[in-house]
């Protein structure tokens, strides 16, 4: 019903722009200096004050970003061109007084970061994240919106966005929420498309690429994109019903962009400094996989805590371990299923994330739900004061991904699988866009796998911070998980500079040898057992010369004061993960069959 309603709205808007349509225009005459000139007209206003503001957050980001900091030269006029009085009640709002029922605002925007959160304007492109670009009137959020992009024809610019196209440079959105969720790439880009049919409906998958590479490289890359789309469709059994039967990847792989990916309802932003010929073919394809999966998981299988998204403040959700984390599990998993990476590459690629999660002391402070609550402090958030994230935080992306792995392998031991659980979540909540809670996920797992299984998983690993029996789970698919407890462990990251000083880079791990010896971030180690460190020396290689249990006399300085301490080396907690065949062993027929079913490989 929602998609039909949107289509009707757009048909009406296309045929006849209604009086209560907020109209925007943006031009780029001074793109060389990263400026855009923006106008917006708000007609048919009630008497009183009109408040307009810049957003403070952005779809898919949970922290505050204060986009108003890049706005200047603000003016407001009425329908007769009369300048209106303006008051500023806070840093991100403009109150416009004594209008005659219509207000036109104009302002200059400075924008020079090309990623999924901000905007970038220069003579290569206008890369626009809407909250970072356009002001809005909080009291008019249900109105239709029309936008005219005054493109630089001298630069061969074209417009790409998920919004409804009215002309080559004019687009429409049915309301404020849709508008804010519709990024735009304006450049001399290339386009590739293919069609997918589900349930009698044909939908177009469009890949828009702004890059400096060749058409042949794009063709090769697009073949990988198609494989990802089809492999993910197999997980859920169908594509989402995109509002206009089209999904658009907005990819920008140019030197002046910043690496990022950001999901939206019918599109995604993909940015990176590497072009396809400079490593991007390999390094950026994982972001394609991650963001496209969000078309189901986040955009339609959507946490109730994010409905509606609040553009005036931070957005907190306890479901990000599932929304972002399970999506992260499928990211490389899909690359393996699609034949883009090998099973060995996929399995060994789990190692870094696995170690990050399960060797962290942070689990003693927060479970996955509580880790998700930290998003406003870590998701592209900025601060100047030091924090103790090394010891208190595990990314919900990583935490959720290894829990998704555990759930998948656990279900497979019950002759079930995570794909079918995700299908059920999709049918229960995503397809009809019913926002869910953690309790709903728990209930759905009970529906799929039974109460005992569901309670065991949620009670131990979601509501608490327990660690699943990965050794047994990995063994079931012919994968080896090992700890090498004979290797020494110092418990702090140390970098030796050009003067032979070993600087502790981050807070030592709680409970580790360096932490127990009262060493701290910023301490400068000068010698170990009376042997000075030397320029260019690898501190890890130095520690590897000793044994677990050895006591080291560490000389160091703190705030210019010379000190010494004793460090008793512990056992390295890190794990290695690899296929059983790497050790020269052959998996059992049962394990090999389970692996093939898991990775969908022969």
């Amino acid at each position: 019903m929602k998609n039909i309603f949107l289509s009707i709205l757009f048909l009406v808007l296309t045929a006849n722009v209604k009086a209560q349509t907020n109209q925007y225009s943006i031009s780029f005459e001074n793109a060389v200096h990263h400026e855009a000139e923006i106008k917006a007209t708000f007609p048919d206003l009630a008497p009183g004050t009109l408040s307009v503001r810049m957003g403070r957050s952005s779809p898919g980001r949970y922290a505050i970003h204060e986009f108003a900091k890049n706005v200047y030269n603000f003016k407001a006029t009425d329908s007769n061109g009369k300048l209106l009085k303006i008051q500023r009640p806070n840093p991100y709002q403009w109150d416009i007084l004594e209008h005659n029922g219509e207000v036109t605002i104009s302002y200059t925007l400075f924008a020079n970061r090309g990623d999924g959160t901000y905007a970038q304007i220069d003579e290569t492109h206008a890369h626009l994240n809407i909250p970072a670009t356009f002001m809005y009137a909080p009291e008019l959020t249900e109105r239709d919106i029309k936008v005219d992009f005054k493109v630089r024809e001298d630069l061969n610019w074209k417009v790409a966005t998920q919004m409804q196209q009215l002309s080559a440079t004019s687009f429409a959105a049915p309301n404020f929420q849709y508008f804010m969720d519709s990024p735009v790439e304006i450049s001399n880009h290339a386009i590739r498309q293919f069609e997918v049919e589900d349930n009698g409906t044909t939908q177009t998958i469009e890949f828009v690429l702004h890059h400096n590479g060749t058409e042949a490289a794009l063709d090769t890359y697009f073949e990988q994109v198609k494989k990802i789309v089809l492999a993910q469709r197999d997980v859920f059994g169908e594509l989402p019903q995109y509002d206009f039967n089209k999904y658009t990847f907005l990819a920008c792989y140019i030197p002046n962009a910043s690496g990022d990916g950001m999901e939206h309802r019918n599109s995604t932003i993909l940015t990176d400094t590497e072009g396809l010929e400079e490593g991007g073919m390999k390094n950026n394809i994982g972001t394609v996989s991650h963001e496209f999966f969000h078309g189901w998981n986040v955009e339609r299988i959507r946490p109730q805590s994010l409905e509606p998204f609040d553009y005036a403040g931070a957005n907190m959700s306890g479901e990000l371990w599932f929304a972002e984390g399970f999506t992260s599990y499928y990211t490389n998993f899909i690359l393996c299923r699609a034949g883009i990476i090998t099973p060995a590459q996929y399995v060994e690629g789990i190692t870094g994330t696995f170690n990050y999660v399960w060797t962290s002391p942070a689990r003693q402070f927060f479970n996955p739900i509580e880790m998700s609550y930290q998003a406003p402090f870590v998701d592209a958030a900025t601060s100047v004061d030091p924090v103790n994230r090394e010891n208190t935080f595990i990314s919900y992306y990583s935490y959720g991904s290894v829990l998704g792995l555990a759930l998948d392998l656990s279900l497979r031991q019950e002759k079930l699988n995570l794909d079918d659980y995700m299908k059920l979540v999709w049918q229960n909540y995503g397809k009809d866009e019913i926002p869910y809670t953690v309790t709903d996920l728990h209930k759905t797992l009970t529906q799929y796998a039974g109460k005992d299984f569901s309670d065991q998983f949620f009670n131990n690993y979601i509501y608490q911070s327990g660690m699943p029996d990965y050794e047994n789970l990995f063994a079931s698919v012919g994968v080896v998980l090992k700890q090498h407890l004979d290797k020494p462990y110092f418990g702090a990251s140390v970098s030796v500079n050009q003067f032979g000083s070993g600087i502790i880079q981050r807070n030592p791990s709680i409970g580790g040898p360096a932490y127990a010896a009262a060493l701290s971030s910023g301490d400068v180690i000068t010698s170990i057992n009376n042997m000075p460190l030397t320029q260019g020396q690898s501190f890890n290689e130095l520690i590897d010369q000793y044994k677990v249990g050895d006591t080291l006399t560490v000389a160091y300085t703190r705030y210019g004061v010379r000190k010494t301490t004793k460090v008793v080396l512990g056992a390295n907690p890190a794990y290695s993960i690899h296929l059983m065949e790497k050790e020269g062993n052959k998996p059992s027929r049962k394990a090999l069959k389970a692996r093939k079913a898991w990775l969908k490989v022969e």
Side-chain angles (χ1 to χ4, degrees):
M1 290 299 294
K2 189 170 187 178
N3 293 335
I4 294 172
F5 178 66
L6 282 170
S7 299
I8 292 171
L9 270 178
F10 276 111
L11 286 172
V12 172
L13 181 59
T14 304
N16 179 29
V17 176
K18 295 182 291 185
Q20 286 196 329
T21 295
N22 298 336
Q23 300 194 50
Y24 292 81
S25 69
I26 182 169
S27 61
F28 310 97
E29 293 86 352
N30 201 25
V32 67
H33 293 300
H34 314 293
E35 287 185 345
E37 297 300 325
I38 298 170
K39 289 185 178 181
T41 298
F42 305 96
D44 291 343
L45 300 175
T49 298
L50 175 69
S51 297
V52 297
R53 62 166 60 190
M54 286 295 285
R56 306 181 68 207
S57 58
S58 180
R61 287 278 185 251
Y62 310 103
I64 288 177
H65 296 284
E66 302 294 14
F67 299 121
K69 64 184 178 294
N70 285 322
V71 168
Y72 44 95
N73 196 29
F74 181 92
K75 296 181 178 64
T77 59
D78 65 14
S79 60
N80 298 318
K82 175 187 173 183
L83 280 173
L84 299 174
K85 295 179 181 179
I86 299 165
Q87 292 180 349
R88 296 291 303 277
N90 55 58
Y92 40 86
Q93 182 168 315
W94 290 253
D95 288 346
I96 302 164
L97 312 178
E98 300 176 5
H99 60 75
N100 65 355
E102 179 173 300
V103 169
T104 295
I105 63 171
S106 64
Y107 57 95
T108 302
L109 177 79
F110 181 87
N112 193 24
R113 183 174 174 87
D115 64 5
T117 305
Y118 297 97
Q120 184 172 58
I121 297 162
D122 55 38
E123 290 191 314
T124 67
H125 67 166
H127 173 92
L128 307 177
N129 184 41
I130 301 301
T133 306
F134 292 107
M135 289 186 179
Y136 67 96
E139 64 190 79
L140 307 177
T141 55
E142 295 306 312
R143 287 189 174 189
D144 300 327
I145 291 167
K146 180 176 178 289
V147 191
D148 291 320
F149 299 98
K150 300 182 184 304
V151 301
R152 291 282 298 271
E153 294 183 2
D154 58 317
L155 299 174
N156 298 315
W157 280 2
K158 305 180 291 290
V159 182
T161 178
Q162 69 177 23
M163 285 187 278
Q164 176 78 344
Q165 187 167 2
L166 305 178
S167 71
T169 58
S170 296
F171 293 80
N175 53 49
F176 158 77
Q177 284 284 344
Y178 197 96
F179 183 48
M180 289 288 111
D181 192 42
S182 300
V184 181
E185 171 65 25
I186 307 174
S187 58
N188 186 19
H189 51 253
I191 299 176
R192 298 291 185 273
Q193 294 179 335
F194 80 109
E195 294 183 342
V196 179
E197 184 171 335
D198 284 319
N199 306 317
T201 300
T202 300
Q203 302 197 89
T204 300
I205 305 299
E206 179 178 74
F207 195 88
V208 171
L209 179 60
H210 174 208
H211 72 144
N212 299 322
T214 64
E215 294 294 299
L218 173 54
D219 288 339
T220 300
Y221 195 64
F222 186 57
E223 290 304 309
Q224 294 186 345
V225 173
K226 288 197 286 187
K227 291 178 181 179
I228 289 168
V229 168
L230 296 177
Q232 293 191 6
R233 179 186 128 192
D234 287 346
V235 172
F236 293 97
E238 61 186 357
L239 292 177
Q241 180 61 56
Y242 303 122
D243 292 330
F244 311 112
N245 293 325
K246 185 170 75 171
Y247 183 93
T248 303
F249 291 95
L250 299 170
C252 191
Y253 301 151
I254 55 174
N256 44 306
S258 301
D260 199 8
M262 186 56 63
E263 72 277 3
H264 297 274
R265 181 171 172 81
N266 304 302
S267 65
T268 188
I269 284 290
L270 307 165
T271 58
D272 200 72
T273 58
E274 289 184 321
L276 296 179
E277 288 93 341
E278 291 79 46
M281 188 82 70
K282 174 182 177 183
N283 297 334
N284 294 334
I285 197 67
T287 310
V288 172
S289 178
H290 184 94
E291 302 305 332
F292 188 66
F293 199 86
H294 274 318
W296 292 272
N297 192 26
V298 166
E299 290 302 324
R300 289 163 179 84
I301 303 174
R302 191 156 179 83
Q304 189 176 83
S305 51
L306 296 179
E307 281 295 307
F309 194 85
D310 180 10
Y311 292 93
N315 289 262
M316 187 178 80
S317 171
E319 290 80 22
L320 298 184
W321 59 270
F322 180 82
E324 294 288 1
F326 275 40
T327 298
S328 295
Y329 168 60
Y330 273 98
T331 297
N332 287 343
F333 189 35
I334 289 294
L335 296 186
C336 182
R337 285 181 168 183
I340 295 171
I341 61 175
T342 67
Q345 287 172 324
Y346 167 65
V347 168
E348 293 183 16
I350 296 169
T351 306
T353 299
F354 190 91
N355 280 318
Y356 163 60
V357 174
W358 299 117
T359 63
S360 172
R363 287 189 296 127
Q364 66 187 285
F365 301 111
F366 302 116
N367 64 29
I369 297 169
E370 294 163 333
M371 291 297 180
S372 300
Y373 290 154
Q374 303 298 306
F377 303 128
V378 298
D379 187 56
T382 59
S383 61
V384 297
D385 59 320
V387 293
N388 196 20
R389 297 268 172 231
E390 300 92 340
N391 286 308
T392 62
F393 177 70
I394 301 169
S395 168
Y396 38 85
Y397 288 84
S398 301
Y399 207 160
S401 70
V402 294
L403 290 176
L405 167 68
L407 180 56
D408 197 0
L409 295 180
S410 297
L411 286 168
R412 289 177 184 279
Q413 291 188 336
E414 304 294 323
K415 303 189 184 306
L416 302 169
N417 60 74
L418 187 61
D419 289 0
D420 286 344
Y421 171 64
M422 297 300 292
K423 280 189 183 79
L424 188 56
V425 175
W426 167 248
Q427 292 296 327
N428 287 353
Y429 299 99
K431 192 164 184 175
D432 293 326
E433 300 188 39
I434 302 168
Y436 72 88
T437 64
V438 172
T439 300
D440 294 324
L441 297 177
H442 190 166
K443 289 179 179 177
T444 304
L445 188 58
T446 299
Q447 179 186 353
Y448 177 61
K451 187 175 189 304
D452 289 345
F453 183 96
S454 179
D455 287 351
Q456 192 271 342
F457 180 79
F458 273 85
N459 291 341
N460 291 324
Y461 312 130
I462 305 303
Y463 306 135
Q464 298 186 56
S465 304
M467 181 178 180
D469 181 5
Y470 283 99
E471 186 174 357
N472 173 60
L473 293 174
F474 277 128
S476 71
V477 288
V479 173
V480 176
L481 175 72
K482 279 187 176 179
Q483 278 185 300
H484 303 276
L485 300 177
D486 58 330
K487 292 186 176 181
Y489 174 63
F490 188 78
S493 175
V494 180
S495 176
V496 182
N497 66 18
Q498 69 270 31
F499 304 110
S501 298
I503 302 171
I504 299 181
Q505 299 293 311
R506 297 184 292 276
N507 296 318
S509 181
I510 289 176
Y515 188 92
L519 290 169
S520 185
S521 176
D523 288 348
V524 180
I525 298 173
T526 55
S527 69
I528 301 287
N529 289 348
N530 297 317
M531 293 292 294
L533 304 185
T534 59
Q535 175 184 354
Q537 185 175 27
S538 167
F539 191 81
N540 288 338
E541 290 179 4
L542 172 62
I543 296 302
D544 285 344
Q545 298 174 15
Y546 297 95
K547 296 179 181 179
V548 175
D550 282 353
T551 299
L552 308 182
T553 300
V554 177
Y556 66 101
T557 62
R558 178 181 295 164
Y559 314 134
V561 178
R562 295 181 182 275
K563 295 175 176 286
T564 61
T565 189
K566 301 288 187 181
V567 176
V568 180
L569 295 177
N572 196 317
Y575 297 84
S576 63
I577 304 172
H578 52 264
L579 296 180
M580 189 179 293
E581 294 90 326
K582 189 171 184 179
E583 296 184 341
N585 298 319
K586 187 176 181 180
S588 68
R589 185 174 298 176
K590 180 180 179 181
L592 195 57
K593 181 180 179 181
R595 183 197 296 171
K596 289 180 178 179
W598 174 43
L599 300 178
K600 297 188 182 300
V601 294
E602 294 298 327

